[in-house]
Amino acid sequence: MDKLYVDEIKSLFLLDDFELKEKILSYHPYEISEALLELSKKERRRMYSILSPKEISYSISFLEIEDAFLLFNEMVPKYIVNIIQELDIDDAVDLMQELDESERAGYLKLMDAEHRENIKELLKYKDDTAGSIMNTEYINIDVTDTVATGMKKLLEQAVTSATIYTIYVTNKNDKLLGTLSLREMILARKNELIEEIMNKRVVSVETTKDQEEVAAIFMDYDFTSLPVVDKLNRLLGVITVDDVLDVIEEETLEDYSKFAAISDAEIDSDTETVLMGVKKRLPWLLVLSVLGFFTSTIIAQFEGTLDQIPTIALFMPMILGMAGNTGTQSLAVTVRGLNDGEFQTKASITKHLLREIGTGFMNGILIGIMLFGVTYLFLHLNHNPEAFKITQVVSLSIMLSLAVSTLSGALIPIIINSFKIDPAVASGPFVTMINDILALSVYFTLATMLIINTL
Amino acid sequence: MDKLYVDEIKSLFLLDDFELKEKILSYHPYEISEALLELSKKERRRMYSILSPKEISYSISFLEIEDAFLLFNEMVPKYIVNIIQELDIDDAVDLMQELDESERAGYLKLMDAEHRENIKELLKYKDDTAGSIMNTEYINIDVTDTVATGMKKLLEQAVTSATIYTIYVTNKNDKLLGTLSLREMILARKNELIEEIMNKRVVSVETTKDQEEVAAIFMDYDFTSLPVVDKLNRLLGVITVDDVLDVIEEETLEDYSKFAAISDAEIDSDTETVLMGVKKRLPWLLVLSVLGFFTSTIIAQFEGTLDQIPTIALFMPMILGMAGNTGTQSLAVTVRGLNDGEFQTKASITKHLLREIGTGFMNGILIGIMLFGVTYLFLHLNHNPEAFKITQVVSLSIMLSLAVSTLSGALIPIIINSFKIDPAVASGPFVTMINDILALSVYFTLATMLIINTL
């Protein structure tokens, strides 16, 4: 994307401190954050000297955590701690979670008591759960309030609150009883009772809810915020849609990376090195090469067949490729379905597997018929004496291996999912390798049975 | 996911109309929309008779368009038109866009003049652009207003506006000059001038902006709404974050599907049939089978080599598999990078390609060394007379084909992208097939040179 503002901001460094500060603060914090990464060390030092911790904290919250840490390396601890204290508490906790223990302890020590206690409290929640991404500042009014009192409380809490556009209604025990949008509040009459105008059907999540499921709820309901409660329905925090956008970005990247068998598909072109690339990819390749070698040992069982009819090697890559492709297709459909909450019952799983094997057979028959003609013509033109028999084996193998691979592409993620593991780990390459093994077995068995045994 | 509310809503149908309506409306519109799809035709008819077009329109807006059309089939045209008129205008336009021309004309005729004109205006924007997902109702105040006047205008526009939480400031020519959050407005003093407190640095998009780029802006800036302007910076509409969540869902699914070479990876397990599966997958498989057959013709060129050393067929699937895997990895990294706006300059493309080929070589050398030992041991135990030579060929092929495949996985999407085509169409299976062809050529050429020619 065009990031003109980065060059604009860079050019401001000719100004004196006062003007520089004023001009820079007219940019959006996201834009300042992007510029920060592109500035020279010297220019960044100047930024730290003219911007207060609060002013720079807005930009820091837009950075990837690793990038924020890079900048922290250039700052004094007190400045860092002040920045962390100015961040929204969920962002502060995200940062603190990634620090090693001694650093975390050091920063906590430098904090004021209130921030220290709040952050410690939130650090207890497991990474990737609702508790870890929630914010503990929100607009909270009492169920017995009138609209006028509620509005007054809203104004008092508005400055620090993560969102002021949804108002949470609790009773004296902090139990979450209802919600109100700021719009409803503004449009209501001043003397109405909150209890009478609030929405009593509240969707909330517990602190332990997986963040991916939280994102799904935001998508389903088109929420801009969602309350987080404990087991007794006491309000503890809110999650806002901007945090969910981050979660979606993170989880999409994760799924995408797994699908391609790489630990992290994202690179920063400026800083990525060959070694980083090797580190992200080699472990997967090593595992896959072991699976790959396994295919060699299978073919070795059929070396006699290969010796007698070397021509069958010609069609191996095609059959393997087609088996891999159909497997990837049904894998994609099945993983997607599992993520969407399909296949909850045994009946629906059976139905899905039957449908997949049916789809595989149907595709296999159609592709098999097409390839029958092409293969026969090809072998016939090459004057192969076994043209007809080999053609039979190739077509039949395509048919069978398409059916088998389609089934395995659906079955593998369902099995993995039943162990409560994210089915996306059954990435494309793994399913392809397993289908290679299945397809080879089918092909060579058929070749041995139909050609060798009838010679 | 547990959708308990669907069963709860179903059980309400024992009540009389009055109670039924009251209870149902206590559910969230999304929940009602999910229930609508699960009800019997008779129950749905009852819903249409007790709910006003406005009441049901909230739920209709949560449905996929195809599902909304299924329900429309059960309603009378006047009821449908009233529902469309009650929808947010961007949702109404989405629906109208999917109708065939005669139906669309029919509904437009039944509408009141104002809705008809507004919808016609928005139908002019191309699908998947900012114009097609924007809403034309927003809070608009004048740059010369005071906070008090602005607040009064806000209250007047609040009921119909898509969002009231960002306020757009224009001059008398409708030029967009600034924004204000409702929070800032609430916290400001009543007699302050809007001009003095508004944010003058406004990020906006033109109507023609691609919706995927719009989503990227929301993610970068953590926006909850974004103004849409014409070429002269006149305000035309706003896009809200809930629409962007829909866009992200749609685009993620599209990328995911392309990666797996399937036209649509999403299924509804209840209604999906084998034939639907075949239709989504067969076209891709046919194209891929042609590419696959091409590998056969390449091997055919080396039939002499195969006849003399059938053992080399043993390692074909492994070499192909590894080439395919490395290709998929660099494809994923490159497509992701292109989507993130990396590789804009020739220098950065060259750098990326050099880095990829470096990564490929490095991985190739490491995997090659490992496989050298394993392959030699395997062939030696099988008393293969050419064990050492074959091992050399296998290792060298892995090295070379990993480098070549890694490069091609990066090069192909960059080339496609340079033609302004979405690089995601270079899906995994296509790159895998192309890498199959490259790797086979490397393997058989090496085998012929190093074994046959030295026998």
Side-chain angles (χ1 to χ4, degrees):
Chain A
M1 257 175 280
D2 306 334
K3 291 183 173 163
L4 291 175
Y5 51 83
V6 170
D7 294 324
E8 284 171 30
I9 292 177
K10 275 183 156 179
S11 70
L12 297 176
F13 278 78
L14 297 167
L15 303 171
D16 66 39
D17 281 2
F18 180 80
E19 273 192 292
L20 174 61
K21 175 169 177 163
E22 195 195 316
K23 294 261 177 180
I24 279 185
L25 288 180
S26 76
Y27 286 84
H28 191 282
Y30 163 70
E31 295 165 341
I32 303 173
S33 79
E34 288 289 296
L36 269 174
L37 298 177
E38 306 281 329
L39 293 176
S40 71
K41 251 190 187 174
K42 209 180 132 203
E43 288 166 329
R44 274 203 294 269
R45 287 251 163 75
R46 222 176 130 200
M47 291 283 267
Y48 309 148
S49 74
I50 58 174
L51 297 181
S52 72
K54 183 173 186 153
E55 283 159 348
I56 206 168
S57 74
Y58 299 126
S59 301
I60 297 288
S61 73
F62 279 93
L63 289 175
E64 305 263 334
I65 289 180
E66 308 90 75
D67 291 330
F69 284 168
L70 285 180
L71 303 192
F72 281 2
N73 284 334
E74 305 168 352
M75 304 173 184
V76 295
K78 189 65 201 161
Y79 190 69
I80 299 173
V81 167
N82 282 330
I83 290 174
I84 296 177
Q85 295 191 148
E86 292 292 346
L87 289 173
D88 280 345
I89 188 136
D90 52 334
D91 293 331
V93 169
D94 277 352
L95 270 177
M96 297 292 281
Q97 249 164 354
E98 299 294 323
L99 288 171
D100 61 55
E101 217 147 321
S102 68
E103 267 185 303
R104 193 189 303 156
Y107 289 149
L108 280 172
K109 223 177 213 167
L110 287 171
M111 273 180 204
D112 61 48
E114 195 194 334
H115 278 101
R116 182 166 50 236
E117 286 321 306
N118 282 341
I119 287 179
K120 269 188 172 170
E121 199 54 45
L122 287 176
L123 277 172
K124 287 180 192 154
Y125 297 111
K126 252 180 74 185
D127 208 12
D128 298 343
T129 61
S132 76
I133 55 170
M134 74 183 183
N135 203 300
T136 48
E137 312 254 26
Y138 44 83
I139 310 279
N140 187 0
I141 62 178
D142 203 87
V143 67
T144 57
D145 288 338
T146 60
V147 169
T149 333
M151 205 65 195
K152 214 180 123 225
K153 287 187 181 171
L154 184 147
L155 289 176
E156 288 161 13
Q157 303 171 42
V159 180
T160 54
S161 188
T163 175
I164 66 162
Y165 306 128
T166 305
I167 295 133
Y168 298 94
V169 185
T170 52
N171 67 10
K172 60 181 181 342
N173 301 322
D174 287 334
K175 294 231 173 158
L176 178 61
L177 298 182
T179 61
L180 261 177
S181 69
L182 178 53
R183 184 198 299 241
E184 289 164 324
M185 192 94 156
I186 286 178
L187 296 174
R189 284 185 306 277
K190 288 207 154 64
N191 55 353
E192 273 184 288
L193 279 176
I194 294 295
E195 183 159 23
E196 271 159 29
I197 61 166
M198 72 183 187
N199 311 298
K200 298 195 178 82
R201 185 166 175 85
V202 184
V203 179
S204 62
V205 292
E206 285 186 28
T207 51
T208 50
K209 191 84 164 181
D210 185 89
Q211 63 175 3
E212 209 165 347
E213 290 172 55
V214 170
I217 294 175
F218 271 86
M219 293 227 193
D220 281 347
Y221 284 85
D222 283 353
F223 282 145
T224 54
S225 61
L226 181 69
V228 183
V229 296
D230 67 8
K231 282 201 190 325
L232 298 173
N233 194 33
R234 286 177 303 202
L235 185 59
L236 294 176
V238 300
I239 298 170
T240 51
V241 69
D242 54 308
D243 299 317
V244 168
L245 285 177
D246 296 340
V247 168
I248 293 171
E249 212 173 353
E250 194 183 303
E251 299 280 351
T252 307
L253 178 63
E254 226 180 273
D255 283 0
Y256 188 74
S257 301
K258 278 182 195 149
F259 210 89
I262 182 169
S263 27
D264 181 2
E266 192 160 51
I267 59 162
D268 177 352
S269 186
D270 297 327
T271 57
E272 183 90 0
T273 63
V274 168
L275 260 181
M276 284 160 76
V278 171
K279 229 173 109 185
K280 286 181 196 168
R281 303 180 197 184
L282 188 62
W284 298 85
L285 290 177
L286 279 173
V287 176
L288 290 168
S289 71
V290 173
L291 273 178
F293 202 83
F294 197 61
T295 58
S296 306
T297 64
I298 287 184
I299 307 176
Q301 311 306 312
F302 296 97
E303 235 183 326
T305 309
L306 252 183
D307 277 341
Q308 284 184 264
I309 334 160
T311 311
I312 61 169
L314 261 64
F315 304 100
M316 245 164 60
M318 181 186 66
I319 290 171
L320 296 180
M322 296 307 289
N325 292 330
T326 47
T328 308
Q329 289 178 330
S330 64
L331 173 77
V333 169
T334 309
V335 167
R336 177 87 200 172
L338 287 166
N339 285 345
D340 285 354
E342 305 273 351
F343 321 136
Q344 299 281 359
T345 61
K346 270 199 182 156
S348 73
I349 290 176
T350 312
K351 194 179 160 194
H352 179 61
L353 294 178
L354 287 175
R355 185 174 47 221
E356 286 299 313
I357 204 170
T359 305
F361 255 118
M362 187 86 98
N363 280 332
I365 289 171
L366 294 170
I367 303 263
I369 289 173
M370 190 203 76
L371 284 179
F372 191 95
V374 181
T375 309
Y376 184 72
L377 197 70
F378 177 79
L379 289 172
H380 185 71
L381 289 176
N382 279 307
H383 308 291
N384 192 302
E386 303 290 342
F388 189 70
K389 276 189 183 166
I390 296 176
T391 305
Q392 277 184 315
V393 170
V394 170
S395 304
L396 213 55
S397 297
I398 283 280
M399 246 174 254
L400 277 177
S401 61
L402 255 60
V404 172
S405 304
T406 310
L407 180 64
S408 90
L411 196 58
I412 292 169
I414 286 177
I415 292 173
I416 292 178
N417 192 59
S418 74
F419 288 105
K420 309 259 169 238
I421 302 172
D422 181 357
V425 299
S427 66
F430 280 100
V431 167
T432 300
M433 281 289 190
I434 287 167
N435 281 340
D436 275 4
I437 293 169
L438 291 172
L440 277 177
S441 310
V442 168
Y443 184 45
F444 278 100
T445 306
L446 282 177
T448 311
M449 276 168 48
L450 297 183
I451 311 180
I452 305 294
N453 296 355
T454 62
L455 276 181
Chain B
M1 255 176 280
D2 305 335
K3 291 184 173 165
L4 290 175
Y5 51 82
V6 170
D7 294 325
E8 283 172 30
I9 291 177
K10 275 183 155 178
S11 71
L12 297 176
F13 279 78
L14 296 168
L15 302 171
D16 67 40
D17 280 2
F18 180 80
E19 273 191 292
L20 174 61
K21 175 169 177 163
E22 195 194 317
K23 295 260 177 180
I24 280 185
L25 288 181
S26 76
Y27 285 85
H28 190 282
Y30 163 69
E31 294 166 342
I32 302 173
S33 79
E34 289 289 295
L36 269 173
L37 297 176
E38 305 280 329
L39 293 176
S40 71
K41 251 189 188 172
K42 210 179 132 204
E43 288 166 330
R44 274 203 293 267
R45 287 251 161 75
R46 222 177 129 198
M47 292 283 266
Y48 309 147
S49 73
I50 58 175
L51 297 181
S52 73
K54 183 171 187 157
E55 283 159 348
I56 205 168
S57 74
Y58 300 126
S59 301
I60 297 288
S61 73
F62 279 94
L63 289 176
E64 306 262 336
I65 289 181
E66 308 89 78
D67 290 330
F69 285 168
L70 285 180
L71 302 192
F72 282 1
N73 284 335
E74 305 169 352
M75 304 173 184
V76 294
K78 189 64 201 162
Y79 191 69
I80 300 172
V81 168
N82 282 330
I83 290 174
I84 296 177
Q85 296 191 148
E86 293 291 348
L87 289 173
D88 280 345
I89 188 136
D90 53 332
D91 293 331
V93 169
D94 276 353
L95 269 176
M96 297 293 280
Q97 249 163 355
E98 299 294 321
L99 287 171
D100 61 54
E101 217 147 321
S102 68
E103 266 184 304
R104 193 190 302 155
Y107 289 149
L108 280 172
K109 223 177 214 169
L110 287 171
M111 274 181 204
D112 60 49
E114 196 193 335
H115 278 101
R116 183 166 49 234
E117 288 320 307
N118 282 341
I119 287 179
K120 269 187 171 169
E121 199 55 44
L122 287 175
L123 277 172
K124 286 180 192 155
Y125 297 111
K126 254 180 74 186
D127 208 13
D128 298 344
T129 62
S132 76
I133 55 171
M134 75 183 183
N135 204 300
T136 49
E137 311 255 24
Y138 45 81
I139 309 280
N140 187 0
I141 62 178
D142 202 87
V143 66
T144 57
D145 286 338
T146 60
V147 169
T149 333
M151 205 65 195
K152 216 181 121 224
K153 286 187 181 172
L154 184 146
L155 288 176
E156 286 162 13
Q157 303 171 40
V159 180
T160 55
S161 189
T163 174
I164 66 163
Y165 306 128
T166 305
I167 295 132
Y168 298 95
V169 186
T170 51
N171 68 9
K172 60 181 180 341
N173 300 321
D174 287 334
K175 294 230 174 160
L176 179 61
L177 299 182
T179 61
L180 263 176
S181 69
L182 179 53
R183 184 198 299 240
E184 288 163 325
M185 191 95 156
I186 286 178
L187 297 174
R189 285 184 306 276
K190 284 207 158 58
N191 54 353
E192 273 184 287
L193 279 176
I194 294 295
E195 184 159 21
E196 273 159 27
I197 60 166
M198 72 183 187
N199 312 299
K200 295 195 179 82
R201 187 167 172 86
V202 184
V203 179
S204 61
V205 291
E206 285 187 27
T207 51
T208 49
K209 191 83 165 179
D210 185 271
Q211 63 176 3
E212 210 166 346
E213 291 173 53
V214 170
I217 294 175
F218 271 86
M219 293 227 193
D220 281 346
Y221 285 85
D222 283 353
F223 282 145
T224 54
S225 61
L226 181 69
V228 183
V229 294
D230 66 10
K231 282 200 191 322
L232 299 171
N233 194 34
R234 286 178 304 204
L235 185 59
L236 294 176
V238 300
I239 298 171
T240 50
V241 69
D242 54 309
D243 299 316
V244 169
L245 285 177
D246 296 339
V247 168
I248 294 171
E249 213 173 354
E250 195 182 304
E251 299 280 350
T252 308
L253 177 63
E254 226 180 271
D255 284 359
Y256 188 74
S257 302
K258 278 182 194 148
F259 210 90
I262 183 169
S263 25
D264 180 3
E266 193 161 52
I267 60 163
D268 177 352
S269 186
D270 296 327
T271 57
E272 183 89 0
T273 64
V274 167
L275 260 182
M276 285 159 76
V278 171
K279 230 173 106 184
K280 285 180 197 170
R281 303 181 198 184
L282 189 61
W284 299 85
L285 291 177
L286 280 173
V287 176
L288 290 168
S289 70
V290 172
L291 273 178
F293 201 83
F294 197 60
T295 59
S296 307
T297 65
I298 288 184
I299 307 176
Q301 311 305 312
F302 297 96
E303 234 183 326
T305 310
L306 252 181
D307 277 342
Q308 283 184 265
I309 334 158
T311 311
I312 62 168
L314 260 66
F315 304 99
M316 246 164 59
M318 181 186 64
I319 290 171
L320 296 179
M322 295 307 288
N325 291 330
T326 48
T328 308
Q329 289 177 330
S330 64
L331 174 77
V333 170
T334 309
V335 168
R336 176 88 200 171
L338 286 167
N339 284 344
D340 285 355
E342 305 272 353
F343 320 136
Q344 300 279 0
T345 62
K346 270 197 181 157
S348 74
I349 290 176
T350 313
K351 193 178 162 195
H352 180 61
L353 294 178
L354 286 175
R355 184 173 49 222
E356 286 300 312
I357 204 170
T359 306
F361 255 117
M362 187 86 98
N363 280 331
I365 289 170
L366 295 170
I367 303 263
I369 289 172
M370 190 203 78
L371 284 179
F372 190 95
V374 180
T375 308
Y376 183 71
L377 198 71
F378 177 79
L379 289 172
H380 186 71
L381 291 175
N382 280 306
H383 308 291
N384 192 301
E386 304 290 341
F388 189 69
K389 277 188 182 166
I390 296 177
T391 304
Q392 278 183 316
V393 169
V394 170
S395 302
L396 214 53
S397 298
I398 282 280
M399 245 174 256
L400 278 177
S401 60
L402 254 61
V404 172
S405 304
T406 309
L407 181 64
S408 89
L411 195 58
I412 293 170
I414 286 177
I415 292 174
I416 293 178
N417 191 58
S418 73
F419 288 106
K420 309 262 170 235
I421 302 172
D422 181 358
V425 300
S427 64
F430 281 100
V431 167
T432 301
M433 280 289 189
I434 287 168
N435 282 339
D436 276 4
I437 292 169
L438 291 172
L440 277 177
S441 310
V442 169
Y443 184 46
F444 277 100
T445 306
L446 282 177
T448 310
M449 275 166 48
L450 297 183
I451 311 181
I452 305 293
N453 296 354
T454 63
L455 275 182

